[in-house]
Amino acid sequence: MDKFRIEGPNRLSGRVEVSGAKNTALPALAASLLSDHPLTLSGLPQVRDIATMTRLLEHLGVEATAQPGELALSAHSIPDQPEAPYELVKTMRASVLVLGPLLARRGYARVSLPGGCAIGVRPIDQHLLGLEAMGAEVELEHGYVTARTGGSGGSGGTGHPARLRGCRFRFASPTVTGTENLVMAATLAEGTTVLENCAREPEIVDLTELLEAMGARIEGAGSDRLEIEGVRELGPAAHRVIPDRIEAGTYLLAGVITRGDVLVAGARAPDLASLLEKLQEMGSDVRIESDGIRVIHSGAIRSRDVVTAPHPGFPTDLQAQYLAVMTQADGIATVCESVFENRFQHVPELGRMGARIEIDGSFARVFGPTGLSGAKVMATDLRASACLVLAALIAEGVTTVDRIYHLERGYERMESKLQSLGARVERVP
Ligand code: UD1
């Protein structure tokens, strides 16, 4: 297993290009299952989750052809009774995104219950309740979800599977992949589906644009109420995924923690409004430039409290990285994690580097500023890994971050991007 060896302290400066958004690319790939016709995606980040999803699609019968800068997908020959097995699903919770499209297309899907980051219970009850509201029968057995339309499963030999039915469904609380799953399922349902209390993340807006390009009829993108008028079939489309706001936010926070000057090219300010507001409150000079967002930080960092929340609130996927920055801020910062119940696994590791953080349920109190010192630390999940890398950038001496395969799930070429900003980081086997 590879590690990062980071020698600190570093000051980052320069320009770094943001990759395509992993969390848009995943549902976009799953959307290929909705149609017989080809879907061409560009801007896909080269990260492990994308490779995993592509493998899963290939297992489901999708032809995936890589061309320079794009991936062409064709799902014209998926089986009548498709199955997403545990071996492919276990490492990535987002695999559940194939459930809605398969069910809508084939009237049947059997999908292993997902694994993914160890950041809490993360049920999929809302996905399943929504599909049931659309007329699916759902069974949970042997670690698998089996969903079918019309009672019999698959096409029942007729060649025409029963369609899902349009319905009104209200999410108990906003869920990103839950919203994406139900929107995709609803595109091929009979009649109109109204989804309420939807998540509003930019990744969902991007997915609805892709689905519309395929011929879906969707109203309300970006709001918490989506209305989808089902169509019989979807057509060919080409789509470029949006830039990754979480990756962009991570490099902006890296700029701040190292008191550097970093331009994140391609970053879109509206997607990052809650973070940019915090950066300004912390005393950073934030500049929206023609090709991205630049942050310059010199002098003290002001501590600021944060509560994570569904978009447009502060993203839970930036909480760990933010917490690393707060170890360097003047005063006490309270960070409340309100989305996931077990997302402070980076805190004990930061403690090993000298940070002073107290945890009380969903609250972390960070006492700053503290000098950090290099140590051997272990990445526990994707964003926790990024937090440790940020801390290592300013720690005195050498930090080795173990288990960076977590990082590789969501950050493209992180070490070379950091090196290009002047960081002393190398990958060691
Ligand atoms: C997505 C993102 C992930 C991000 C998260 C929250 C992808 C591939 N992943 O994950 O990076 O951290 O949004 O912004 O886009 N919940 C239920 N029942 C459900 C579904 C969710 O109770 O059926 C709960 C979860 O346990 C969690 C909260 O809802 O507490 C939000 O989770 P959700 O938005 O579903 O996260 P994901 O879609 O898995």
Side-chain angles (χ1 to χ4, degrees):
M1 269 184 284
D2 287 1
K3 304 171 187 178
F4 273 177
R5 180 184 185 280
I6 300 172
E7 204 182 321
N10 296 269
R11 178 179 182 274
L12 301 191
S13 82
R15 180 181 196 275
V16 64
E17 192 91 33
V18 70
S19 298
K22 165 181 88 75
N23 286 354
T24 297
L26 290 169
L29 285 164
S32 68
L33 293 166
L34 287 165
S35 171
D36 262 348
H37 299 279
L39 172 65
T40 305
L41 297 173
S42 52
L44 299 176
Q46 287 186 12
V47 296
R48 185 164 305 174
D49 275 7
I50 300 305
T52 306
M53 183 60 105
T54 308
R55 265 208 320 281
L56 174 57
L57 292 178
E58 284 175 333
H59 173 87
L60 293 167
V62 176
E63 281 169 24
T65 317
Q67 289 145 6
E70 52 183 45
L71 187 68
L73 300 140
S74 173
H76 59 83
S77 57
I78 50 174
D80 275 348
Q81 300 217 332
E83 175 170 326
Y86 176 71
E87 291 65 37
L88 287 169
V89 167
K90 66 180 176 190
T91 55
M92 192 181 67
R93 177 187 158 79
S95 311
V96 75
L97 284 165
V98 302
L99 181 60
L102 286 176
L103 182 61
R105 178 91 184 283
R106 284 287 179 256
Y108 177 94
R110 188 164 186 265
V111 176
S112 172
L113 287 167
C117 280
I119 55 172
V121 182
R122 304 185 83 172
I124 56 162
D125 57 309
Q126 296 300 306
H127 304 230
L128 303 183
L129 287 170
L131 293 174
E132 281 176 338
M134 296 170 81
E137 280 177 16
V138 177
E139 276 171 37
L140 288 180
E141 228 178 22
H142 310 301
Y144 278 77
V145 181
T146 306
R148 36 167 76 84
T149 57
S152 56
S155 64
T158 65
H160 297 290
R163 289 170 75 189
L164 290 165
R165 289 192 307 270
C167 71
R168 180 177 291 265
F169 179 76
R170 186 176 176 80
F171 290 97
S173 60
T175 147
V176 176
T177 48
T179 303
E180 291 164 347
N181 233 337
L182 294 194
V183 171
M184 288 192 280
T187 58
L188 291 179
E190 203 173 334
T192 300
T193 303
V194 177
L195 301 175
E196 292 168 340
N197 201 21
C198 296
R200 291 183 280 163
E201 269 64 3
E203 291 76 20
I204 298 171
V205 178
D206 199 39
L207 174 66
T208 58
E209 282 171 14
L210 159 63
L211 295 170
E212 283 176 317
M214 293 170 77
R217 300 196 189 132
I218 304 172
E219 271 177 34
S223 77
D224 64 356
R225 183 181 185 280
L226 293 170
E227 195 169 320
I228 305 110
E229 194 190 323
V231 295
R232 275 218 162 262
E233 58 172 23
L234 295 173
H239 184 77
R240 180 170 196 86
V241 303
I242 55 171
D244 195 312
R245 66 194 164 101
I246 303 302
E247 189 202 20
T250 302
Y251 288 112
L252 291 172
L253 288 164
V256 175
I257 199 172
T258 63
R259 267 98 163 168
D261 178 351
V262 172
L263 170 69
V264 184
R268 308 196 308 181
D271 294 351
L272 282 160
S274 60
L275 173 70
L276 300 183
E277 198 178 305
K278 283 291 162 197
L279 296 183
Q280 278 163 337
E281 290 176 17
M282 282 153 58
S284 303
D285 177 2
V286 178
R287 301 182 188 175
I288 313 300
E289 305 203 338
S290 58
D291 59 343
I293 305 173
R294 180 174 173 195
V295 69
I296 305 166
H297 200 106
S298 54
I301 299 173
R302 288 199 284 271
S303 73
R304 281 292 175 271
D305 297 346
V306 143
V307 182
T308 65
H311 193 77
F314 191 91
T316 172
D317 284 351
L318 286 173
Q319 176 259 106
Q321 302 88 314
Y322 185 83
L323 206 133
V325 176
M326 284 301 104
T327 67
Q328 302 309 302
D330 282 340
I332 302 171
T334 303
V335 175
C336 172
E337 173 54 61
S338 80
V339 179
F340 292 112
E341 69 278 11
N342 184 22
R343 206 173 197 181
F344 284 132
Q345 286 157 330
H346 37 291
V347 167
E349 297 300 299
L350 285 177
R352 301 186 60 251
M353 299 175 74
R356 286 181 54 219
I357 304 169
E358 284 172 5
I359 303 234
D360 181 8
S362 55
F363 293 88
R365 293 214 306 167
V366 192
F367 299 84
T370 43
L372 301 184
S373 59
K376 288 188 173 161
V377 291
M378 192 137 76
T380 50
D381 67 61
L382 170 56
R383 307 303 170 185
S385 320
C387 153
L388 297 176
V389 170
L390 262 54
L393 287 173
I394 45 118
E396 285 288 340
V398 172
T399 299
T400 35
V401 183
D402 208 343
R403 300 200 177 168
I404 55 160
Y405 59 83
H406 287 294
L407 264 182
E408 291 163 350
R409 286 189 42 209
Y411 288 93
E412 184 174 87
R413 296 183 296 106
M414 190 184 223
E415 74 272 29
S416 54
K417 289 192 183 189
L418 286 172
Q419 282 161 357
S420 75
L421 294 171
R424 281 165 290 163
V425 47
E426 57 176 346
R427 173 187 295 260
V428 288

